[in-house]
Amino acid sequence: RSHAIETLSTKALNFSDQKNAVVLLGGDNALKQIPVIKENLKNLKKYGFSKVYIAVGYLADKINEKLGDGSDLKLKLKNLTEGEGSGGAILPLKKNFHKTFLVFNSDQTFDIDINKLIDFHKSKNSLATVMTGNLEEMNGLYVLEPEIFKFVPKGFSMLESDVLPKLAEEGSLIIRPII
């Protein structure tokens, strides 16, 4: 029911019905992870995403060269070069994201029904749902509500260590282990 209300409200307020996703791609292994990223981008396209933000670190030029503009995948890729850390990387999107969005770490392929995961997330009324194979590091696939930006400090910040633990303390975090 809340999903229907969100959809109607979004259309009434003339917000884009576009699904938003961010891929976190930085660090020394970024170039090695391009094949994994391409698989995840294909999966995003399959579930109705048309624009994906790529949060790149210092290897932005080389990553752009390898990924291109997304046209080969029928996606529009837009680079995010501001912010440091996984939290700092998404903070510039605060003004753009008005509804549920996804954030992917770049080291795992997620061949799942993303729409079902989003529906599960919404049914739990949490600010974040984390799908992970590593409960200690908490990296994986995140389904997030825009209210999460209130928890992201300015400057360098990590979703995994600075934001998600706060949400867990407040009971606003759901974890879905990958087995």
Side-chain angles (χ1 to χ4, degrees):
R1 196 165 56 176
S2 64
H3 184 62
I5 293 168
E6 177 184 346
T7 301
L8 292 172
S9 300
T10 298
K11 289 180 181 177
L13 295 170
N14 292 322
F15 290 140
S16 170
D17 200 28
Q18 174 177 302
K19 295 178 182 178
N20 291 306
V22 179
V23 175
L24 302 172
L25 184 59
D28 294 329
N29 291 323
L31 293 174
K32 294 176 188 172
Q33 295 168 341
I34 297 294
V36 173
I37 295 304
K38 286 192 174 189
E39 284 304 310
N40 285 332
L41 291 173
K42 287 177 190 175
N43 201 26
L44 288 171
K45 178 63 181 168
K46 179 169 124 181
Y47 289 102
F49 289 78
S50 58
K51 184 176 186 178
V52 179
Y53 294 86
I54 309 292
V56 294
Y58 65 94
L59 296 172
D61 292 338
K62 290 181 180 180
I63 291 168
N64 286 343
E65 187 179 305
K66 297 269 187 193
L67 275 181
D69 64 0
S71 58
D72 60 327
L73 301 169
K74 295 186 172 80
L75 285 170
K76 181 176 180 180
L77 301 181
K78 181 165 176 54
N79 284 340
L80 294 171
T81 55
E82 302 172 50
E84 295 181 52
S86 56
I90 68 166
L91 198 54
L93 296 169
K94 181 178 182 176
K95 295 178 184 172
N96 299 27
F97 285 7
H98 305 287
K99 62 183 196 168
T100 306
F101 63 100
L102 298 181
V103 175
F104 281 90
N105 278 287
S106 58
D107 58 351
Q108 297 176 42
T109 301
F110 293 98
D111 186 16
I112 60 162
D113 186 327
I114 292 172
N115 292 334
K116 284 185 181 178
L117 180 62
I118 292 170
D119 288 343
F120 168 82
H121 163 79
K122 289 179 183 228
S123 75
K124 301 298 181 186
N125 293 318
S126 67
L127 293 183
T129 298
V130 177
M131 189 171 165
T132 183
N134 186 335
L135 295 174
E136 287 182 29
E137 293 182 17
M138 294 289 280
N139 60 353
L141 167 60
Y142 313 130
V143 183
L144 306 172
E145 294 301 324
E147 293 82 9
I148 196 165
F149 292 115
K150 296 178 204 171
F151 295 87
V152 180
K154 291 183 181 178
F156 179 88
S157 69
M158 298 296 290
L159 289 170
E160 302 81 0
S161 57
D162 298 319
V163 178
L164 297 176
K166 290 178 189 172
L167 294 176
E169 286 174 15
E170 293 196 6
S172 297
L173 174 68
I174 303 293
I175 299 173
R176 298 275 316 227
I178 300 171
I179 300 172

